[in-house]
Amino acid sequence: MSGPIERSTNFLRQLDECHSFVLNTDRVRHGLLTMLYGYFLKTMLADRLSGFVAAVFDGYESLGGAVIFLGVLAFGIQLYCDFAGISSIAQGAGEVMGFSLIQNFETPYFSMSVAEFWRRWHISLSSWFRDYLYIPLGGNRKGRIRKYINLMVVFLVSGVWHGAGWNYIAWGGLNGAYQVAGDLLKPARQRLATLLHIDVNNTGNRFLRMAFTFLLINFSWLFFRASSFTVALQMLRHGVSNLQMWQLFDGTLLNLGLDFPDVLVLFVSLVAMILISVSQYKQQDWKKSLMEQGFAFRALVYIVFILAVLVFGIYGSAYSASSFIYVDF
């Protein structure tokens, strides 16, 4: 229900095919690893960050801007890990049973533009909006002005699809405006790069473009997560006028749903996720590479991975399926 949102042409034909659980043991192992990574993202990162994010958004009036903005960044990571986690669990479960589902996320936070981000984020839904709304409206075939109008319509509709509130409309409008502005400014950026002899594709500039895109997207998540448009503006106004950088270092963070052991687990988990994401960004299948290693090494990695989720994951009696963020949409 939350994704991947499959197309009939890909999925329905698979229902008519014969599937055997043990027909391909490599497929089963690959699917189980995909599921395990989904559980890792969900229980060790998304759910660990959820308490901190809730504390920041619920108590922003007593916090400085530095902590508020950190909370917004944390929500961006929480949302990705929660949603990519549930997608990986679904994709892996399908693979174990012999079904091939669409890859719903392709390292979206490594994107170098907002347009690229939306080609990599929730691919099954983004491609649906493209094929069934953007292209039927005329896409980019009817001139520049019409293209920009179509982009804004698609993202405003996407905002309304997520919720009937002005904060969702603002979120959709921001992401549409980002793309319109990026397209309008592209010729000027190219001329400036040529004039200053800047290689926009070198490692440093690629990283800066990724970082800038990451910040733009996370700024829009403020409106997505806030309880209302008014609250989002209040958080923004309060954060800008009352930065209080010292709250990042005076222990305030440890009173917002995360104790010191949680911070350590979170840090190690983030490093692991980043390393795996770099491998994915380079089009390397880390799961396949792991499966090709010797038995002892594979077994050690499997055991560490499973124990980490079981021991350090956030779950238990309070868990319910509704705790997946995207179930609300």
Side-chain angles (χ1 to χ4, degrees):
M1 292 173 64
S2 299
I5 303 170
E6 276 297 342
R7 301 291 181 89
S8 60
T9 51
N10 178 50
F11 190 67
L12 292 185
R13 62 175 175 78
Q14 297 185 60
L15 297 179
D16 295 327
E17 298 170 353
C18 179
H19 299 276
S20 172
F21 180 78
V22 295
L23 183 64
N24 188 325
T25 54
D26 284 345
R27 186 203 72 222
V28 172
R29 283 193 297 164
H30 194 277
L32 289 172
L33 274 173
T34 301
M35 291 180 70
L36 182 58
Y37 184 56
Y39 289 124
F40 165 76
L41 292 176
K42 171 62 178 169
T43 65
M44 293 189 65
L45 283 164
D47 287 351
R48 180 161 271 104
L49 284 168
S50 64
F52 173 71
V53 171
V56 171
F57 276 81
D58 293 342
Y60 70 91
E61 293 175 326
S62 62
L63 299 171
V67 175
I68 291 173
F69 297 138
L70 182 62
V72 174
L73 291 177
F75 173 68
I77 298 172
Q78 179 203 356
L79 181 63
Y80 168 71
C81 292
D82 193 285
F83 197 13
I86 194 173
S87 294
S88 293
I89 293 168
Q91 186 182 19
E95 189 174 4
V96 167
M97 295 185 287
F99 293 89
S100 176
L101 304 183
I102 187 175
Q103 180 72 31
N104 212 24
F105 290 85
E106 291 184 356
T107 56
Y109 284 141
F110 286 0
S111 302
M112 287 180 282
S113 70
V114 174
E116 182 185 354
F117 174 84
W118 285 109
R119 291 193 296 269
R120 293 172 171 269
W121 176 278
H122 199 353
I123 296 168
S124 58
L125 180 62
S126 296
S127 62
W128 191 94
F129 275 115
R130 179 197 65 209
D131 294 345
Y132 291 99
L133 187 57
Y134 179 70
I135 292 176
L137 284 172
N140 58 3
R141 304 187 306 274
K142 297 187 177 182
R144 254 186 153 186
I145 300 300
R146 183 64 178 272
K147 171 187 174 181
Y148 297 151
I149 292 173
N150 293 341
L151 274 172
M152 292 303 299
V153 168
V154 167
F155 278 93
L156 289 172
V157 169
S158 176
V160 174
W161 184 86
H162 283 86
W166 286 109
N167 54 317
Y168 291 111
I169 294 173
W171 166 77
L174 261 177
N175 280 279
Y178 286 157
Q179 296 195 55
V180 171
D183 195 71
L184 284 171
L185 295 173
K186 186 177 181 179
R189 296 199 311 270
Q190 291 175 336
R191 286 196 297 270
L192 183 63
T194 301
L195 181 65
L196 299 177
H197 304 288
I198 297 173
D199 180 7
V200 296
N201 291 314
N202 67 33
T203 302
N205 285 325
R206 287 169 63 89
F207 176 79
L208 289 176
R209 289 159 64 192
M210 286 181 187
F212 184 63
T213 302
F214 178 76
L215 292 175
L216 286 177
I217 292 296
N218 275 272
F219 177 73
S220 73
W221 289 140
L222 167 64
F223 294 90
F224 192 89
R225 175 60 174 81
S227 57
S228 69
F229 180 69
T230 302
V231 169
L233 291 181
Q234 289 173 348
M235 290 182 68
L236 185 59
R237 188 182 306 114
H238 181 74
V240 171
S241 63
N242 188 32
L243 201 57
Q244 297 188 44
M245 290 291 294
W246 59 84
Q247 287 190 345
L248 296 175
F249 311 101
D250 66 358
T252 299
L253 296 178
L254 298 179
N255 296 317
L256 295 172
L258 291 175
D259 56 21
F260 187 68
D262 275 325
V263 173
L264 286 178
V265 173
L266 184 61
F267 176 77
V268 173
S269 301
L270 280 171
V271 170
M273 183 192 71
I274 291 170
L275 291 175
I276 291 174
S277 296
V278 169
S279 171
Q280 292 172 327
Y281 183 72
K282 293 180 176 180
Q283 303 296 316
Q284 298 169 350
D285 189 340
W286 66 272
K287 296 182 285 288
K288 185 177 180 181
S289 298
L290 177 59
M291 289 162 52
E292 293 172 349
Q293 304 304 312
F295 173 78
F297 181 78
R298 281 188 286 117
L300 178 63
V301 174
Y302 296 159
I303 291 170
V304 169
F305 226 141
I306 292 170
L307 286 179
V309 171
L310 291 176
V311 175
F312 299 109
I314 304 296
Y315 59 90
S317 59
Y319 171 81
S320 69
S322 62
S323 65
F324 282 98
I325 294 175
Y326 229 75
V327 172
D328 293 337
F329 306 111

